Amino acid sequence: EVQLQESGPGLVKPSQSLSLTCSVTGYSITSNYWGWIRKFPGNKMEWMGYISYSGSTSYNPSLKSRISITRDTSKNQFFLQLNSVTTEDTATYYCARQLYLRYFDYWGQGVMVTVSS
Amino acid sequence: DIQMTQSPASLSASLEEIVTITCQASQDIGNWLAWYQQKPGKSPQLLIYGATSLADGVPSRFSGSRSGTQYSLKISRLQVEDIGIYYCQQASSAWTFGGGTKLELK
């Protein structure tokens, strides 16, 4: 069974970087696509970006200057880094398998990140 | 960007009632649409993909339909376990979500 689990700090200071890890079991990240999605207070959902089976990436243009998604295939993990965070980045962050680039069929449990001084 | 306008934002319904949620796409997305259910305290779950195809393990009381650029999710007989927030998501050009529909029991 495909399982994903996010990990990382729940509190980040403004202007610092947010770094999260998604650990995947039951499926290799060298297949398919792997995305990050966040859900803001108030329920708005936003796709942030993905990393592909080959290591190529695509990012939401609204985040393009601040976001980086990388991976470690030896550990079957992929990572999110979001720079220069503000309180507007407070959200629950999810990693998910982006099935054939279209739909999100397996999700992690989510990690709530608060940006506050 | 393709905008997905979802309605209603909230909905209160009785057990066994028929529930319908709609999403209007700002342009043609073909059948590249999914529906997700998010139960309280849980991560979203894929219900419908390709506008009308049921994901594995999803009860048959859930169904999806399309009329032009309007998409609907129907729950034929509401059950207690269906309570949560529902989202549509377009997969035609980038990936954007509707604003969500909070479904509660009356």
Side-chain angles (χ1 to χ4, degrees), chain A residues 37 39 42-47 50 58 60-61 94 98-99 101-105 107-110, chain B residues 31-34 36 38 42-46 49-51 85 87 89 91-92 94-95 97-99:
Chain A
I37 301 108
K39 179 178 174 179
N43 295 330
K44 179 186 172 184
M45 297 267 281
E46 178 182 69
W47 169 79
Y50 73 74
S58 177
N60 189 317
Y94 296 94
Q98 198 163 337
L99 183 65
L101 210 54
R102 298 289 185 178
Y103 308 115
F104 305 97
D105 63 341
W107 297 65
Q109 84 282 0
Chain B
N31 285 329
W32 297 113
L33 183 105
Y36 300 85
Q38 186 171 29
K42 302 291 187 182
S43 53
Q45 176 192 355
L46 179 65
Y49 64 94
I85 302 174
Y87 295 92
Q89 173 242 322
S92 173
W95 302 269
F97 292 84

Side-chain angles (χ1 to χ4, degrees), chain A residues 22-80:
Chain A
C22 183
S23 300
V24 180
T25 57
Y27 196 91
S28 173
I29 65 168
T30 59
S31 296
N32 235 298
Y33 298 83
W34 303 89
W36 287 96
I37 301 108
R38 61 182 178 176
K39 179 178 174 179
F40 297 99
N43 295 330
K44 179 186 172 184
M45 297 267 281
E46 178 182 69
W47 169 79
M48 300 180 71
Y50 73 74
I51 188 163
S52 78
Y53 57 90
S54 66
S56 64
T57 55
S58 177
Y59 302 129
N60 189 317
S62 69
L63 300 170
K64 202 162 188 178
S65 61
R66 299 196 293 134
I67 189 173
S68 176
I69 299 176
T70 57
R71 66 179 185 170
D72 183 338
T73 57
S74 68
K75 295 181 178 179
N76 217 38
Q77 294 175 327
F78 63 105
F79 312 100
L80 171 70

